[in-house]
Amino acid sequence: TDVARRLAKELGVALINGAVLSLVLGVVVALLPFDDADVLRLAITAGISLLVVIILATCIGTVVPLLLHRLGIDPAIATGPFITTSNDIIGLAVFFLIATVLYL
């Protein structure tokens, strides 16, 4: 379907963006002058979280406007606040979930 094709295309770009940005984050943290293992775990947590959040934000940012359009709601008006708020909430939840898994 059209939605699946659009989502697949956006997910491909999100995967590349997330992987590159996570790698950059990991390299920057690795170059910092810390010898503590917790810094490495924090960098891994942030990198994985960044990748997951970018992918989830892409899914939300692709599907919500298409869904709103199908429901007869103008996506330009309703999408902005909903996507911004949901991405913030999901981003924090993902970060804390991954941190909990890695630190326990």
Side-chain angles (χ1 to χ4, degrees):
T1 67
D2 185 45
V3 173
R5 187 174 41 83
R6 286 184 187 182
L7 186 59
K9 182 178 176 182
E10 292 294 329
L11 280 176
V13 173
L15 192 57
I16 292 169
N17 282 339
V20 169
L21 292 173
S22 295
L23 183 63
V24 168
L25 177 67
V27 169
V28 167
V29 170
L31 294 176
L32 293 174
F34 292 110
D35 292 333
D36 193 356
D38 285 337
V39 174
L40 179 60
R41 283 200 301 187
L42 182 59
I44 291 169
T45 302
I48 293 170
S49 298
L50 184 62
L51 177 63
V52 172
V53 168
I54 287 173
I55 291 170
L56 289 175
T58 299
C59 291
I60 293 169
T62 302
V63 171
V64 169
L66 295 172
L67 181 64
L68 290 175
H69 180 69
R70 281 196 181 193
L71 294 174
I73 301 169
D74 184 10
I77 295 171
T79 300
F82 178 77
I83 289 178
T84 301
T85 304
S86 63
N87 285 345
D88 290 344
I89 293 168
I90 290 170
L92 280 172
V94 165
F95 177 80
F96 287 125
L97 177 66
I98 291 172
T100 300
V101 169
L102 291 179
Y103 279 86
L104 289 182

